Structures are given as C-alpha cells and as structure tokens.
Amino acid sequence: MLENLRNIGIIAHIDAGKTTTTERILYYTGLTHKLGETHNGESIMDFLPYEKERGITVASAATKCEWKNKEINIIDTPGHVDFTAEVERSLRVLDGAVAIFCAKGGVEPQSETVWRQADKYKVPRIAFVNKLDAVGADFYRVINQIKTRLGSNPIVINIPVFSGDDFIGVIDLINMKQYSFSGELGNQVIETDIENNYLEESAEWREKFIESIAELDEEILELYYNNEDIPLELVNKALRNNTINNNLVPVLCGSSYRNIGVQPLLDAIVNFLPSPLEVNSVDAHELETGNIVDVNINQNTFSALIFKITVDRHVGKLAFARIYSGRASSGSHVYNSTKENKERIGRIIKMHANHREELEELKAGDIVALVGLKDINTGDTLCDEDNPILLESIDFPEPVIQIAIEPKTKTDQSRISEALNKIVSEDPTLKILYNKETGQTLISGMGELHLEIIAERLAKEFKVDINIGQPEVSYKETITKEAEQSIRYVKQTGGKGQFAHVVLKLEPSDDFEFVNKIVGGAIPKEYIPAVEAGVKQALREGVVKGYQVVNVKATLLDGSYHEVDSSEMAFKAAGLNAAKECLKKAKPKLLEPIMQLEISTPEEFTGNIINNINNRRGRLNSMESENNTQVIKGCVPLAELFGYSTVLRSLSQGRAGFSMCFSHYEESKNVAS
C-alpha cells in the first residue's frame, strides 16, 4: 500500500547525530536487537572500514523499517562537506527528510548546504534538535537560527524537559502530554500529565503553535478566533498538509545518544511526511520530441532514475534506483534512454546497510538496488522501450583539489586504472587525468578527506601499492576579452589529403556555449559537431598553466571545405588549433577555488585568528557573538587552507573549531600559482 510508505533521508552537519539517530530508529522499530554506536565502530549504517575507523559517514546507506504499520525507507547521508554529492543524489529521489541539528552547534555551515539542497528539490522536512543533554545546548536558539539563517517557518511541536541540568524528557504540544523514556535503552515511553513547573511554558508554546497553524488553515483560523476547541484530527491534518506543501517545518527535540525523543520523531515521520502518492509528479523529456511530460506514480509505463552506483565484490555492480512509475520483475528487460540501449534486470535487492533481501518485483515508489545492468551510470533513466523518456539527471559540483598518484610496480600500473574506473563509476565527483609528460595519474576530488579515503581504498580494498603526492589546488582558467582566429588545416600525404578551414571567435561568458553562424553551406552541417569537439578538447588544457578553461562562448563564424579532402578529423583539428590560438590572444587568467570558512572560538583568540585569515588572503564577512563564543565567517582561497586545523589549534590552545565548504571560483592573485 503506497499510502503506508515513507521514503526519507537523514540530513545534517557532521557530528549532529544522524547515524546515531538512525541506529535508534532501527532499534525501536525492531529491525535490530542491539544498538550500534559510531564512536566504537559498531554502527550498522556506517559499515565501511574507513567509516568505522573515523566514526563518520562517508557513503549514504539505505535501509527499511516499520513503525505503526507504515514502512519507512531510510537513507542515512554523510555530513562532511567533502561528501555533499551523496546528499545531493539522495535528496533527488526522496519524498521527505529529517534535518538534524546539534543543540549546541545550531545551524552550522553544512546544515545550510543540505537545507538548500532540500529546497532545490522541494523536499518536505521535519527538524530534530539533537544533543540536548550536551553542555551549552540551547533549543530555542536553534529554533531562531532555523528561522533567520534558513529562512524557514519552524513550528515547535515538542519542547524539552529538564530536571536541574539533566535533560529527562519532552512535552508534546499537540496532545499536551509529557513523555519520559525508560526500560532497556529507552524503549519504554511513559506518558504523564505535564509537570506543574512546565504548565505555563507549555501553554505559551501551545498558543504559538496553534497561532502558526491558524495562519495557514482557514478552518482552524475560524475556530481559533471564536475561542472554540480545535479537534486534534484537524490539527494533525493541517500540520501534515502544510509540511508536505513546504509551508512549515515541524520541530522536535531529543537526545538520540541518551535514548530520549526518538519515538516521537518516528511518529512525526509517519504522521507528517508524505507517501509517494502525495508528492508532486516529476518532469521528464520525451526522447523523440523533447517535449516535457509529467511522470505520475499512477501511470502503468515503467520509469526509474539511477541515483547511486556501488561495486560489490560478491554481486558486482549495484545500481540504486528510485521507481517513479510502473512495475518490473527480475529477469525483465528495460530501456536505458540515457545510453539508448536495452538492459536486463538480473536481480532486485532491498538493501539494509550491507545486508541484502531479494525481491521478485519492483513497483512505483520503491527504492531498490538492481543487479545485472551492464552499461549504467549515476543519473541514467530506465524506462519502457515503447515510451522512451529522460528524467532530470543529477548535477554534481566540480572537484576543487587534486593529488598525483604513481604505482610502485608494473603490476600495480595495470591494476590501478581498473581500480580507479570502479571507484569513478561509484563517485561522480571524482575526476581522473593521466599526465603523459610525467607518467603520473592525477585524481581530483572535493577535499583532502575525500582524496585520503580514495587513496586508502586503492591500497586496502584493491591492493594497489601507490606513492601519493601532496594535495594541490584544482585551478581553472578563463578568458577576459574577445579573440578571433582563422585556421586552415591542410595535410597532403600521397593519397587523399586532409582539408578544413574555420574562422572562430572566443569571448567571455557565464558558461560554455557553442554557436554556429555558418550560412550558405560554407561548412557542411555534418562537420559542425567535429569543430565543436575540437574546441572542447582545446579548452581542457588552458595556456596559462594547463588547467581546464571555463566560461567561454565559442562562435563559428565562417570557413570552407574541400569536396574530396575534407573530413570530420580535419575539422576537429582545425577547431582545436583555432581555439588554442584564440586562447593565447584572449588575455587568459587563472581562477582559484574560494572556500567559505566558519570558525567558532573563545573571544580572547579572535584577534590572532582574524590576523591569520588576513595573512592567508582571506576576506572577513561577518562576526557575531553566541554564548561567549565568537563566530567568524569569511572567504579564504583553498590554496591557503592546507593543514589549517593544526594552525587553528595552536592559535587557540586547541579551543577553536572550524568548518569550510566550497563557495566559488575567482581570479587568482597568488603569484606563486
């Protein structure tokens, strides 16, 4: 029954408690009989060796459980900025999300990133303020930050209860009851009347809650103004409808590690987040006409989006798919409209972290892993061959940092490319480049930790011995003025010759664009794509330092051809040479990645930290004081941030912390680069 299904993701900043919360959900729903903890490497969802060692999530993991006769598919996503693409591709296919905030850290930089990603895909959310047992926790400050920093409409539906400094339970503002959690690992939920010393505060927050709902629901508004009782069914219905429509975000609180507040969170997931039947239809393009069509869950024609690829040593390539419409069974054939080829589904698997459950059939609304697909990548669309469509693919950020790796032996040389190809098929943010001059392989990724884990996987998982160079910034190049070049490509080698003539113009733009202005058949249409391919090849290596050239508009103005000697190869070479000459004339410049930096520090270290940011070519954006702590925000070139954690520790006697995420590219002022 699709109305009883919830496809949700757990999203947050690193260390907010995503995996710990997921482990509690699995325990309380009866799926597991032992709590796995991230800090001791026993988490069920963080099952990869490098996740267990570091106590962080690196790859999103899928599982399913049941709560109050509702089936919940859960994807636990990473919180570290280096793995933000895992969040991107998960949110692309999910119907709802639980955003977890640390009650002490509040809305942190990666919290904002994942929230914006959820905004992009219009994913309904519930917020869970975790770690209320921590020293310095402040539930109401986090509520205010959700409102001001995220521009959201948080509706508090439960508030924390303390006994002295100890966090002991929550008050449900919908039912006006107090809950405490006892028994083995908090699995017994004890409902009582609200304590006297919390009656006034509860009534005040209940009033705010009803006021907020009344603003969005006319039926409740009328009852509220007439001072009439508002039925609970009406309150829950209004909360559900407005959560699904992204008009509000219900906010709950708890401490997953102390086993407080997770069961009310489960209730909110099944009560307020949508089933696949309640989410909007998705847009797709008809392959033949290019027209936009709606894909509805009630349609009989099959359609699915591949959002993640993993390579499993036991079953081979696993393709994770969200099914948007129709049905398919194991052994059936489907059409990959992205690659325009037929594929056979070998097996259908329901994943529980690294454990597998085989299914005979998949249906609309499911999130499953498919085995047996040969030529498949992240973002590919599977559909019926008789009704070919293309679903919107997934956009991934460009890498900003690279390292050089060299195999130690000839045996390793042959194995390294095979290993990297497998990893690249899993990770769309990893780019590989082979440098013919040095014999080095360059791998580009999202950050130091990302590349560190790739190198670790090569050594431990694929048994490849490698030497690793120092991390380097992945610069880009662009042009600053217009340039034009006419090139004749002529080769005569005894037999048939090669001839192509192009006139090309390059100019600055916001993105890459190729414009064909050939009229009167000066160059036949079949040769135009070859010219574009040549231009794109030239832009892969700029003339300043050999980095990729971006933000260029290329216009093919004129040219000529020979009826016998012209070929695609000749026009590709002409386009390549013309673009290279234009790049030299167009005043190229180097661009470097700029990172958004947020530092939390005791006030006495603020001066030294700001001076250090200035010395690193950084710009200060803002400073604000929170609980005797200064929060410093600024932008700093990535080239200046290698090893920054060690520097910050020495500047603050180990008391400051920082986080960073990619912001943008801008002209490099660093002479050394």
Side-chain angles (χ1 to χ4, degrees), residues 15-36:
D15 281 343
K18 294 177 304 303
T19 303
T20 303
T21 303
T22 309
E23 297 291 332
R24 266 59 183 177
I25 288 173
L26 300 183
Y27 179 74
Y28 295 138
T29 55
L31 195 65
T32 58
H33 303 288
K34 179 189 173 188
L35 278 180

Side-chain angles (χ1 to χ4, degrees), residues 21 24-25 28 128 181 255-256 260-267:
T21 303
R24 266 59 183 177
I25 288 173
Y28 295 138
F128 182 65
F181 305 84
S255 168
S256 299
I260 299 173
V262 177
Q263 291 93 330
L265 174 62
L266 273 164
D267 289 340

Side-chain angles (χ1 to χ4, degrees), residues 102-134:
C102 172
K104 185 179 179 182
V107 175
E108 298 170 277
Q110 189 64 5
S111 310
E112 292 191 47
T113 302
V114 298
W115 194 269
R116 303 292 173 229
Q117 287 171 311
D119 281 343
K120 175 180 171 182
Y121 296 114
K122 298 182 173 61
V123 178
R125 272 146 282 173
I126 286 171
F128 182 65
V129 181
N130 191 27
K131 299 192 177 183
L132 274 161
D133 59 311

Side-chain angles (χ1 to χ4, degrees), residues 23 32 40 64 66 69 86 107 128 130 165 186 212 214 240 243 248 367 375 378 411 433 435 583 586 620-621:
E23 297 291 332
T32 58
N40 60 17
K64 66 160 191 169
E66 284 191 12
N69 299 317
E86 288 284 325
V107 175
F128 182 65
N130 191 27
D165 290 333
S212 301
R240 179 177 183 78
T243 302
L248 59 83
I367 292 176
D375 185 15
T378 299
T411 310
L433 182 67
N435 189 323
L583 287 175
L620 199 64
N621 292 340

